[in-house]
Amino acid sequence: MKINIAPYVTITPRIISCKSNCTITVKPRFNFVSLQGNYKVSIIPRYQYQYDSIREGSYYEPFVISAKGGMIKFSYDFEFEQEYVIQIKPVIEEGCALKVIESSVYALENDLYSKKVMKGDLHLHTTFSDGLESPEHRAVQARNNGFDFIAITDHNGYHGSTYLIEKMKGCPNNMVFIKGEEVHAKSCPVHILSLGASEAIAPFVTKIDDEQSRKLENLKKRFETKLAGNVNCDAFVAAMNVFEKIHQAGGLSVLCHIYWDAVDGTTYRRMGAPEQLIDALVKECSFDVFEVTSGAPEKDLKANYLQEAYYREKLPKNFPVIGITDSHTTLNGISIFGKNYSIVFVDECSEKGVIDAIRNSYSVSVDGVGNTICHGSIRLIKYATFLMENYFPIHDQIVQLEGNLMQRILEGDQSYLDILKKCIFDNKALIRREWRIYG
């Protein structure tokens, strides 16, 4: 019987600069693990490798390394950007259970190697609109789920997000809180996220003054002859105006849940945006990001499936994407919070860092309802799936304690302040022992 004892050891580094010779060190994580004697080491590339047509396969012969000082060390040239599977087993196999170490490292080109990795949800509602929970409760539950950032995006409401930023100044944390709102402009069924803008957008587009009216009329004159006859021009220019206002405020504009399918049971009003209107907006492509994974319930996933197909067929190649839950609560049984999210690769762990990463297509959407699926560029999806298998399970388990302590402090127990500060410091050191990508 073969037993993989990889969870019992540390492997450093886990993230490597490719086209370089790197020394890998394997050490026991626990004192009941002993690494002694000679080991056979195989390093097997995941995606790019040489095929031998004579032998009809790709073979990577092991090399032998002696453990010294209770650890295993070896050097290797990681040529290409990809995952490399490392297999280590004793030269002499003793006993009925063969203890092997099988895990992976990832080699990256310089642009990705220099970046930190964060995950979070950028479309959340709170008691500042129609959500059930306060912004700070959403922050605590986000950390409990391993999230490094969130955006509160209440309906035509910016102040839930700014309230959270101020509130969390009194609670130590290692999270990023992003200013946001979900904008519904007057005479427009399209929902648009504003992320990172310096001011609220809704007041400018929900009550139309003379200046805004003139602006909309000018936009209408510009586009009305270009639009198909079945596209409502007023709705189109209203959406275009929102995109422009978000850009003027330095924010990121996100086209939301385009296949949201809802009918008001009281008034029988069909909600959502007609497909021909979405097509016209996508053709113009004045928004920054596409919400490819939305808050579809587990019993009806067709909206996400359609959005995923739409993204592949109609958006420009490698167009920026995010994955979100659009959740209004974290209650088990009625919420998918924590299942869908975005992974971003940032230069700095800040609001600006997250916004810039997404704007520059350094993001992946994760659809975790049903079978987990990633969306974005193939390059980033490969890296993201490696992280989901190897990094985030460790990361999420460790930072969950921070969420529990944050809850105590936000409930008014200040005696936990120093404990939380030390916990954040220790967690950084613990994760960074293997993973340089933690912010």
Side-chain angles (χ1 to χ4, degrees):
M1 180 176 64
K2 184 174 75 172
I3 300 175
N4 184 10
I5 63 166
Y8 294 165
V9 302
T10 63
I11 300 173
T12 56
R14 296 297 291 262
I15 304 298
I16 295 155
S17 177
C18 66
K19 297 183 177 65
S20 66
N21 184 273
C22 180
T23 298
I24 302 294
T25 302
V26 182
K27 293 181 180 180
R29 191 186 297 272
F30 305 104
N31 58 15
F32 57 78
V33 178
S34 175
L35 299 177
Q36 298 179 7
N38 296 326
Y39 292 84
K40 291 185 287 187
V41 178
S42 298
I43 300 178
I44 304 167
R46 176 74 73 183
Y47 302 112
Q48 297 188 52
Y49 48 85
Q50 295 297 321
Y51 175 75
D52 188 330
S53 58
I54 297 174
R55 300 174 71 187
E56 295 186 341
S58 299
Y59 297 90
Y60 290 83
E61 300 299 333
F63 53 90
V64 176
I65 291 291
S66 297
K68 294 180 180 179
M71 66 182 75
I72 300 168
K73 276 190 175 185
F74 57 89
S75 296
Y76 191 81
D77 291 315
F78 295 91
E79 185 177 2
F80 300 109
E81 179 175 275
Q82 62 181 330
E83 179 180 354
Y84 291 83
V85 177
I86 297 177
Q87 297 178 337
I88 304 172
K89 64 179 182 178
V91 170
I92 300 174
E93 301 179 8
E94 297 177 336
C96 58
L98 175 62
K99 297 176 183 177
V100 303
I101 298 168
E102 183 170 319
S103 192
S104 296
V105 298
Y106 210 100
L108 294 170
E109 297 285 356
N110 287 338
D111 65 320
L112 265 182
Y113 179 73
S114 64
K115 296 183 184 298
K116 303 296 185 184
V117 177
M118 306 178 76
K119 74 171 181 176
D121 194 333
L122 293 161
H123 191 159
L124 301 173
H125 296 280
T126 73
T127 49
F128 277 72
S129 60
D130 59 346
L132 297 183
E133 299 158 6
S134 67
E136 59 267 38
H137 186 79
R138 305 285 341 229
V140 167
Q141 294 303 313
R143 200 54 170 165
N144 283 340
N145 277 273
F147 288 174
D148 305 297
F149 63 85
I150 58 169
I152 301 301
T153 54
D154 283 306
H155 299 286
N156 283 340
Y158 181 74
H159 299 301
S161 65
T162 55
Y163 163 85
L164 178 61
I165 291 168
E166 287 303 310
K167 182 75 174 179
M168 297 309 294
K169 288 179 180 178
C171 179
N173 64 86
N174 192 28
M175 296 182 69
V176 172
F177 304 108
I178 295 167
K179 299 184 291 293
E181 62 184 312
E182 184 174 7
V183 182
H184 318 172
K186 184 176 175 59
S187 303
C188 181
V190 181
H191 288 198
I192 300 163
L193 288 187
S194 169
L195 298 175
S198 60
E199 60 182 340
I201 304 301
F204 296 100
V205 298
T206 53
K207 295 179 181 179
I208 308 302
D209 58 19
D210 290 343
E211 181 182 350
Q212 282 294 307
S213 182
R214 286 192 296 272
K215 185 174 182 181
L216 291 170
E217 279 301 314
N218 288 334
L219 282 171
K220 194 170 182 179
K221 290 175 183 177
R222 177 182 165 191
F223 287 106
E224 60 186 349
T225 59
K226 299 180 180 180
L227 297 176
N230 64 344
V231 176
N232 185 291
C233 189
D234 289 330
F236 176 87
V237 299
M240 294 291 287
N241 186 44
V242 174
F243 299 148
E244 186 175 330
K245 287 299 294 184
I246 294 171
H247 295 157
Q248 289 172 352
L252 210 60
S253 59
V254 183
L255 185 61
C256 294
H257 47 59
I258 63 169
Y259 283 108
W260 175 47
D261 186 11
V263 176
D264 188 320
T266 304
T267 64
Y268 304 103
R269 177 173 68 95
R270 175 69 173 86
M271 295 181 283
E275 191 173 53
Q276 67 269 25
L277 174 57
I278 297 298
D279 286 343
L281 292 170
V282 168
K283 183 178 179 181
E284 197 64 30
C285 214
S286 293
F287 55 94
D288 302 301
V289 185
F290 185 69
E291 188 185 272
V292 66
T293 302
S294 298
E298 294 189 64
K299 63 182 180 181
D300 184 11
L301 297 175
K302 68 176 180 289
N304 277 352
Y305 295 156
L306 289 168
Q307 284 162 193
E308 291 156 7
Y310 192 99
Y311 166 69
R312 294 296 179 196
E313 289 186 16
K314 299 192 178 184
L315 271 293
K317 184 178 180 181
N318 294 336
F319 192 80
V321 295
I322 59 171
I324 56 84
T325 59
D326 192 5
S327 55
H328 294 62
T329 177
T330 59
L331 288 173
N332 289 330
I334 61 173
S335 175
I336 62 168
F337 178 69
K339 295 184 178 181
N340 301 342
Y341 52 89
S342 303
I343 299 174
V344 297
F345 307 95
V346 303
D347 291 324
E348 60 179 64
C349 297
S350 65
E351 180 183 71
K352 182 180 184 301
V354 173
I355 295 297
D356 286 349
I358 296 170
R359 192 191 306 278
N360 294 317
S361 295
Y362 280 105
S363 62
V364 167
S365 162
V366 179
D367 182 346
V369 179
N371 293 325
T372 301
I373 305 170
C374 294
H375 302 280
S377 71
I378 293 175
R379 179 195 187 200
L380 294 183
I381 289 173
K382 289 176 180 176
Y383 185 29
T385 53
F386 164 80
L387 295 171
M388 291 163 64
E389 292 169 356
N390 295 278
Y391 169 66
F392 283 120
I394 297 168
H395 164 278
D396 297 356
Q397 183 181 22
I398 290 173
V399 304
Q400 186 178 24
L401 179 57
E402 295 176 22
N404 295 335
L405 293 172
M406 286 162 59
Q407 180 68 48
R408 299 289 187 94
I409 293 167
L410 291 166
E411 288 173 350
D413 193 338
Q414 300 298 299
S415 67
Y416 284 91
L417 277 170
D418 289 339
I419 298 173
L420 177 53
K421 289 177 183 177
K422 187 175 189 309
C423 177
I424 292 170
F425 180 84
D426 290 346
N427 284 350
K428 283 185 179 182
L430 181 61
I431 296 173
R432 287 175 178 171
R433 276 199 318 193
E434 286 185 85
W435 300 94
R436 64 182 302 279
I437 55 177
Y438 183 59

